[in-house]
Amino acid sequence: LTRAAGVLAPPLYRAWMGLVWRTSRRVDRGLDDLLADRDGGGRLVLLMWHEEIFSAPYAYARLGIRGHVLVSRSGVGELAARISEACGHAISRGGSSGRGSRFRPPAIRGAIRWMRDHEDGVFATPVDGSRGPRYRMKPGSLLLARACDARVVAVRIWFRHCVRLPTWDRAALPLPFGE
């Protein structure tokens, strides 16, 4: 069942998010200008909340951002990694959840190596981690930005019409025909 989900999740995700993207109104509050100003150069660390985990991989790819993403080693993390890879993002596995916290330092070191190898590297990850608490920022992204001399940008992907899941982060599953 897990293998089937891993195979089916990326195309189903892209189809769903494609429908949401095509039927929803997008309002930009400066990210497009920031990306245009970069001219493909300079490292960037994008900060987001975990509740945006469903929309971020697709939205970033549609905006031309091919970033490096830190994904937890959990079973759900495996699906997230496959979805993010299908959207063109590089993946590091690690994070702060339970026993997975022992993987955090190697994952951060791997992300730092990747960013240093890419002058135009973009790192994007939920700053409240994979287990929360909700809206409480953890230091990994800022440590990475400092180590790589990258600009830090807070990004918010918000949908007026969404289903909020009964999870610690109240993850938002965007619905079509919204804002």
Side-chain angles (χ1 to χ4, degrees):
L1 186 59
T2 303
R3 185 177 294 175
V7 170
L8 294 174
L12 291 175
Y13 170 81
R14 286 194 318 257
W16 179 259
M17 288 304 298
L19 176 64
V20 169
W21 190 270
R22 285 188 304 279
T23 62
S24 298
R25 184 173 67 114
R26 186 170 72 92
V27 178
D28 174 31
R29 301 274 191 240
L31 185 60
D32 283 344
D33 291 338
L34 174 73
L35 295 174
D37 182 47
R38 264 179 90 225
D39 281 333
R43 295 180 185 103
L44 215 57
V45 174
L46 302 180
L47 310 179
M48 58 179 258
W49 297 120
H50 199 274
E51 70 182 17
E52 300 161 2
I53 201 74
F54 287 114
S55 53
Y58 188 86
Y60 289 163
R62 286 298 300 239
L63 295 171
I65 300 169
R66 298 294 188 262
H68 189 108
V69 183
L70 180 60
V71 180
S72 77
R73 291 181 175 267
S74 68
V76 173
E78 179 62 29
L79 289 176
R82 289 178 185 231
I83 286 169
S84 292
E85 286 174 332
C87 291
H89 306 294
I91 306 297
S92 282
R93 299 302 297 271
S96 60
S97 61
R99 294 179 313 187
S101 63
R102 69 179 182 262
F103 297 110
R104 185 178 25 219
I108 294 293
R109 282 192 299 271
I112 289 170
R113 270 193 306 279
W114 187 88
M115 287 286 280
R116 287 181 176 164
D117 289 344
H118 296 82
E119 284 296 319
D120 62 343
V122 176
F123 180 78
T125 193
V127 294
D128 47 357
S130 56
R131 289 182 50 157
R134 186 177 187 208
Y135 301 143
R136 183 103 20 109
M137 186 173 168
K138 297 188 176 163
S141 297
L142 295 180
L143 294 171
L144 173 79
R146 184 174 184 193
C148 298
D149 195 31
R151 287 191 289 172
V152 177
V153 179
V155 176
R156 185 79 169 131
I157 302 170
W158 183 80
F159 290 90
R160 180 170 291 169
H161 302 289
C162 64
V163 173
R164 292 281 178 178
L165 301 182
T167 56
W168 70 265
D169 61 352
R170 305 257 314 124
L173 180 62
L175 298 173
F177 307 104
E179 295 181 39

